[in-house]
Structures are given as structure tokens and as C-alpha cells.
Amino acid sequence: MINLQIEIFLLIVVGLVLSKTGLMSSLTRKQLTKIVLTIVLPCSIIQSFEIDVDHDLIVSCIIVFLVSVMTQFVYWLFNCFLWKNQSLARRINLQYGTMVSNAGFMGMPLAQGVFGDIGLLYASIFLIPQRVCMWSYGLSLYTTSRKQDLIKNVLFHPCIIAIFIGVLLMIGRMFGFVLPEALDDTIGAIASCNTALSMIAIGGILSDVNVDDVFDKTTLFYSMIRLIVFPLVLLIIVRLLNIDILVANVCVLLSGMPAASTTAMLAQTYDKDPVFSSKLVFVSTLFSLFTLPLLSMLLGG
């Protein structure tokens, strides 16, 4: 767990150094962000759905899915009142960062490391509602188009299309259908670049950040909400509902992930204060180095 988080920070440093030394220009940074959002991340999404679902686990997977839907609803409730006093651009980033965590990049490998292969399976299911939310409600936060255009842009966004393809592939695998090996390997090769390219792009954006302003009150408060308050709230709920302990623990662990790297990438794409959004990702990921191991210990992992 610690090694993975250190790796993420080193990748951010690489992007920061590349930008500071002039090897990655502002234009290059925007192009890299676009490549990640339109090609790399969709391949990662498709690959995350390529899981074998044992029929004996279907009930548990349904419970994980329902807990995830409930979790997104809790995030939405917090969004209704939490960030009203922020400027428009900051509020957009904070609302997106509240709804969407870095569970895709960090959550799946951490769930596997703490809970084994069954943890990875549950994590994949848990991420389905978040992926739908991040490219529907989440994307709508950054766009100002007419409602008709917004719906069109969301439905035909590469990541939404990737979700549809992923669901079909997951269902197909239950009946023995798998992608041709060459195609599957190609998708896997592109998807494997996801974390590296995303964090390097964020590091580049962070090169514009004033170090003195990184740890402001807003980023610290946001980090407390995402890393501490959310998992504790969900822990109380799943305990009251008497949900299976392993299912509950995986869901709680994933709810304690830092801000999604896509927060910074979307802010960069739509020019919604990308520097502030990068600070949210950086600070919350930094503090997750301490909160996630503690959360894992609390869950008995």
C-alpha cells in the first residue's frame, strides 16, 4: 500500500520536473490530458470490467453494487450544502472531488493487497456506479452547454462508451465470450499507461502551484472530509445494516480514497481552475499515505 502511494507521488514529481525544466510545455500538458481522457482511461475502464463472476458470488456482488450506489447518494447529499461558499470554479472541483475518488487508480490494487482476489472482484463492482457518476453527473459540472447538448456530450463521451462496452464484456464473459487475445493485449497495454500518464500530467499542472498555497484551509478541510469523514460514515451505515464483513470492509476502504486524478484533468480541459484542482489531488493523496494504512488496520486488514 505504501509502495503504491510512493510510486504515485514519484510520478507526480516526474511531471513537475518535466514542466519546470521546459521538457513539457503547457500545450503538451493539455494534449497529454486529452490523450488520457479519450484513449488511455477508456481502455483502463474496459479492462476493469474484464472479470469472471462466479454465480455463487452474484448476491455478494449485488450487495456491493447497492452499497456503492448508496455511497454515491451520500456524497451527493454532502455536495448539496458543503461547498456553497466557494467560488464557482472551486465549487465545481470540490463537488467533483467529493463525488469521485481515486478508487480506480489506487483502490483496486489496494483492495487486492489487503483482501486478496475477492477484494479485487468487489472493488471492480464497487467502481461501476462511480464510473457512471463521474462521466455523467461529474462531467456535467464542468460543461455549460444546453441540456440537449450536455446529454449528447455525456452519452457519447469516450469514458461512457467504455462503460457500456465494459458491461457487455463482463456479461459476455459469463457465457464464455472473451476478446481476441491481440485486441485484449492492446487494450491492456494502453490501460497500463493510465496511472503513469495521469500522474505525470498532474505533476505538470502542479508546476504552476505556489508551494506556500498548497496547504490552504479548503484543501485541508476537503482532505479531512474525503479521507476520514466519508469512510467513518459508511462504516457506521454498513455496520448498522449488518452487511457481510468482507463486503463492508472493501466498500469502506474504497470510500476513503483521495481525490481522483481526473479532477485535475477535467479542470485543465475545461479551464476550471486546474491549479486548485491539482492541489486537491496532491494534498489528499499526500495525507492518504497516513489515513489508508490506519483505515486498513481499523478494518482488520
Side-chain angles (χ1 to χ4, degrees), residues 41-278:
L41 188 53
C43 285
S44 179
I45 291 172
I46 291 172
Q47 189 181 50
S48 73
F49 281 91
E50 293 183 321
I51 52 177
D52 294 315
V53 181
D54 191 311
H55 289 285
D56 295 335
L57 296 176
I58 289 179
V59 173
S60 293
C61 289
I62 291 174
I63 294 174
V64 172
F65 180 85
L66 292 176
V67 171
S68 181
V69 171
M70 178 187 65
T71 303
Q72 294 298 130
F73 178 71
V74 170
Y75 295 162
W76 178 80
L77 286 178
F78 272 81
N79 262 348
C80 289
F81 65 88
L82 209 53
W83 314 116
K84 287 185 176 181
N85 295 327
Q86 299 294 326
S87 65
L88 178 59
R90 284 196 168 202
R91 185 165 67 247
I92 288 171
N93 288 310
L94 287 163
Q95 288 179 331
Y96 183 87
T98 299
M99 292 296 298
V100 182
S101 73
N102 210 16
F105 294 154
M106 296 172 60
M108 294 179 71
L110 289 183
Q112 185 177 29
V114 177
F115 301 110
D117 290 339
I118 189 67
L120 179 61
L121 171 63
Y122 289 163
S124 300
I125 299 298
F126 185 88
L127 282 169
I128 294 175
Q130 176 173 290
R131 293 196 190 283
V132 173
C133 181
M134 71 189 293
W135 298 116
S136 53
Y137 169 82
L139 184 61
S140 71
L141 292 172
Y142 288 92
T143 59
T144 56
S145 305
R146 294 181 307 160
K147 186 175 181 180
Q148 297 90 333
D149 294 333
L150 175 59
I151 294 174
K152 180 180 178 180
N153 291 337
V154 169
L155 288 178
F156 290 96
H157 191 280
C159 291
I160 288 292
I161 294 174
I163 290 174
F164 292 145
I165 294 173
V167 170
L168 291 175
L169 288 175
M170 186 172 64
I171 295 173
R173 288 175 73 90
M174 297 177 65
F175 298 95
F177 173 80
V178 294
L179 290 175
E181 184 175 355
L183 177 58
D184 193 44
D185 289 346
T186 301
I187 293 173
I190 297 174
S192 65
C193 303
N194 190 17
T195 300
L197 292 181
S198 298
M199 294 304 156
I200 288 173
I202 290 172
I205 297 171
L206 277 173
S207 66
D208 296 330
V209 175
N210 186 339
V211 177
D212 296 333
D213 296 334
V214 170
F215 299 99
D216 61 31
K217 291 181 180 179
T218 304
T219 57
L220 291 175
F221 180 70
Y222 166 82
S223 298
M224 181 188 71
I225 294 294
R226 171 134 287 291
L227 301 176
I228 299 175
V229 174
F230 283 161
L232 290 182
V233 169
L234 186 59
L235 179 61
I236 293 171
I237 293 174
V238 294
R239 290 290 188 265
L240 290 175
L241 294 176
N242 197 29
I243 292 175
D244 175 78
I245 190 68
L246 180 57
V247 170
N249 286 352
V250 172
C251 294
V252 171
L253 179 66
L254 292 175
S255 71
M257 295 293 151
S261 58
T262 48
T263 311
M265 290 188 286
L266 286 172
Q268 175 79 60
T269 300
Y270 294 102
D271 194 24
K272 301 294 184 181
D273 201 345
V275 172
F276 174 72
S277 65
S278 297

